[in-house]
Amino acid sequence: MSPADRRASATPKKATARAIGERNSRRSAGAVREPLAAYEAPARVNAFRTLLRTAPLAERVRIEREGVPYQVVKGLIDDIFVSSTEFQTFVRIPKATFTKKMRDKSLFAGTTGQSVVGLMELINKVEDMLAAEQDNPAAKGFDVERWVGQWIQRPQPALGGLAPAELMDTPSGRASVMRVLGAVQSGAYQ
């Protein structure tokens, strides 16, 4: 029996483990890394946000390069209580491209994917801020996602009068938004 025949006749679990092992051995041999398959990335917003919090640098870079699953994008839109049109504006994606990616169940990669990751990082940062305020009764039951969805649409003096959503499509813009959010926490801006 040839190696290909053995792989084909293996149980699905063994075949998957064998494929992962082969892929890992190719990686260690200096081969170009395969794209992240959609099934490898978490399909739920909270699981994906947790992955962003805990991923080592190499995995984080891989996620940013290869993209965010469409299910996560759909869940994020629902979580921050914005319309698809508003979301398309936030991440600077044309309507036709957005519609095609959702229809084809594609990954949101490139600048768009990085903007989506930036929105999730913003939510994570607000959650971290609230976690630091455990004794604050207003922190309990606070709807972080909804607040972020509203806050990013409001012009901020510290951002030159721009709304955070207008800046989320560039690394410099995302960094500025995160700094302003940190300043809000410290009380420098209200």
Side-chain angles (χ1 to χ4, degrees):
M1 183 182 271
S2 75
D5 292 336
R6 279 194 297 267
R7 282 193 296 271
S9 66
T11 64
K13 189 173 185 179
K14 288 181 182 175
T16 301
R18 186 175 294 119
I20 290 170
E22 289 171 0
R23 185 176 66 203
N24 288 340
S25 68
R26 283 194 306 270
R27 285 184 191 149
S28 62
V32 174
R33 201 166 182 168
E34 294 178 12
L36 179 68
Y39 64 85
E40 289 184 40
R44 298 207 176 268
V45 176
N46 287 341
F48 199 86
R49 285 183 31 230
T50 299
L51 176 63
L52 290 175
R53 284 181 190 269
T54 60
L57 178 61
E59 184 67 14
R60 175 61 188 253
V61 168
R62 184 176 183 209
I63 291 165
E64 290 178 4
R65 286 182 178 152
E66 295 177 7
V68 179
Y70 79 97
Q71 305 99 310
V72 173
V73 171
K74 182 175 179 349
L76 183 60
I77 291 168
D78 293 342
D79 285 355
I80 64 173
F81 296 93
V82 298
S83 70
S84 292
T85 303
E86 290 169 320
F87 184 81
Q88 291 162 32
T89 302
F90 299 166
V91 299
R92 301 283 194 271
I93 186 170
K95 181 179 180 178
T97 305
F98 177 84
T99 302
K100 183 176 183 341
K101 286 188 177 293
M102 295 304 276
R103 183 186 63 233
D104 295 347
K105 300 178 179 181
S106 299
L107 293 171
F108 283 70
T111 301
T112 303
Q114 291 176 7
S115 295
V116 173
V117 167
L119 282 171
M120 287 187 275
E121 287 177 327
L122 205 56
I123 293 168
N124 285 347
K125 183 168 180 84
V126 173
E127 281 183 345
D128 293 345
M129 290 165 57
L130 288 173
E133 305 263 339
Q134 291 178 352
D135 56 339
N136 183 346
K140 291 177 178 45
F142 187 81
D143 190 341
V144 172
E145 292 88 355
R146 183 178 288 226
W147 183 86
V148 168
Q150 293 169 352
W151 183 78
I152 63 174
Q153 297 179 66
R154 288 193 299 260
Q156 300 295 321
L159 295 172
L162 297 172
E166 296 176 70
L167 304 170
M168 294 302 291
D169 64 323
T170 68
S172 297
R174 288 189 295 274
S176 294
V177 169
M178 292 298 226
R179 276 193 301 276
V180 167
L181 192 57
V184 167
Q185 179 184 18
S186 71
Y189 299 110
Q190 296 300 323

